[in-house]
Amino acid sequence: VVPSGINIEPLTADEIRSIRDELGITQDTLALACLGNIVFTKRIDVVIKAFSIFRLFNKEAKLFLVGKCYPDMEDKVRRLVDLYGLEGSMTMTGKVDMDVFKKYMKASDIILNLRYPTLGETSASLIRAMSCGKPVIVSNVNQFREFPDDCCLKVDVCDREQDILLSHLMRLGKDPLLRKNVGDNARRYVEENCSWEKAALKYLDVIDRVLN
């Protein structure tokens, strides 16, 4: 369901422009973001490797890792940044408050929400991003498979994971209309399926069918 405090309304171009100015993200930057705790299950190494190749084709692209990053993961990220020459193209914000977290989400052009392994949990950051009308790339596993293919792009967890992710980035990066369509579909899906009221009705329906 939609996390508390989320307003499912389309963001205007002026709102996004204002937020990007506040965060110091230029208007011509193609902003990619991983949101939430920066941990290995977010496939951060795969994300950075795919981004390093994507960056060769899109010089204006930047990757933002928004959330708490534990020391061992931070060291790993910095080694990858040095290895692939991404200094200046990546930002690790560290832990931020929810207001700043939401601003980075709203300012981003593409959200990366890969997760594996997973315990089948619902991703609050994913639902928030979709409710903002953002195109999101997810891992094609477990609960994420339930989302329609037209409201998020999916990456198989296999030996081609990095290539598939790069392919999605290339498509989204060069096609603003595709980004808008996927984002609009995502927002519409959340609006139609993820309210607390509709979730409660589904639980009641299951209970009713079990009891009867």
Side-chain angles (χ1 to χ4, degrees):
V1 294
V2 180
S4 60
I6 291 295
N7 185 24
I8 308 175
E9 295 292 338
L11 294 167
T12 68
D14 286 342
E15 286 177 305
I16 295 173
R17 187 177 299 109
S18 176
I19 293 170
R20 287 172 75 110
D21 286 343
E22 183 180 345
L23 294 175
I25 302 174
T26 62
Q27 301 306 320
D28 58 351
T29 294
L30 184 73
L32 286 63
C34 292
L35 302 159
N37 288 337
I38 307 303
V39 293
F40 79 96
T41 56
K42 298 285 185 70
R43 315 299 287 169
I44 298 300
D45 55 338
V46 174
V47 168
I48 293 175
K49 290 172 185 177
F51 175 72
S52 70
I53 301 172
F54 177 65
R55 185 76 171 71
L56 299 176
F57 298 92
N58 193 319
K59 300 296 184 182
E60 303 304 321
K62 290 193 175 181
L63 176 60
F64 297 88
L65 304 184
V66 183
K68 183 176 181 178
C69 190
Y70 293 93
D72 56 339
M73 179 57 73
E74 183 173 348
D75 290 343
K76 184 174 183 178
V77 169
R78 294 195 184 284
R79 287 196 299 271
L80 289 171
V81 168
D82 291 342
L83 178 63
Y84 295 110
L86 296 175
E87 189 71 37
S89 299
M90 279 184 55
T91 296
M92 282 192 293
T93 67
K95 185 177 181 179
V96 297
D97 62 34
M98 184 53 68
D99 183 57
V100 174
F101 180 92
K102 291 177 181 177
K103 287 178 179 177
Y104 272 102
M105 178 179 290
K106 293 176 180 179
S108 297
D109 297 295
I110 301 169
I111 303 293
L112 301 164
N113 198 81
L114 303 186
R115 291 195 186 194
Y116 185 81
T118 171
L119 298 176
E121 70 278 11
T122 297
S123 169
S125 60
L126 171 61
I127 301 300
R128 285 192 173 98
M130 292 173 67
S131 72
C132 288
K134 298 297 179 178
V136 186
I137 302 176
V138 301
S139 294
N140 189 26
V141 296
N142 300 343
Q143 69 276 26
F144 301 121
R145 287 180 177 154
E146 298 175 4
F147 291 99
D149 292 342
D150 64 354
C151 70
C152 58
L153 279 65
K154 299 170 183 173
V155 177
D156 293 334
V157 180
C158 62
D159 57 2
R160 296 190 59 251
E161 182 180 16
Q162 181 180 316
D163 294 337
I164 297 170
L165 174 58
L166 177 59
S167 176
H168 288 331
L169 290 177
M170 295 294 287
R171 289 177 60 211
L172 291 170
K174 68 182 180 183
D175 193 340
L177 182 58
L178 176 61
R179 295 200 298 271
K180 182 180 185 305
N181 288 341
V182 174
D184 287 347
N185 291 338
R187 187 178 62 79
R188 191 176 306 112
Y189 177 86
V190 171
E191 185 175 28
E192 294 175 354
N193 296 277
C194 299
S195 70
W196 285 101
E197 293 82 4
K198 290 180 180 177
L201 288 173
K202 290 179 181 178
Y203 275 109
L204 288 173
D205 179 60
V206 171
I207 293 170
D208 182 67
R209 283 189 280 117
V210 170
L211 293 178
N212 296 290

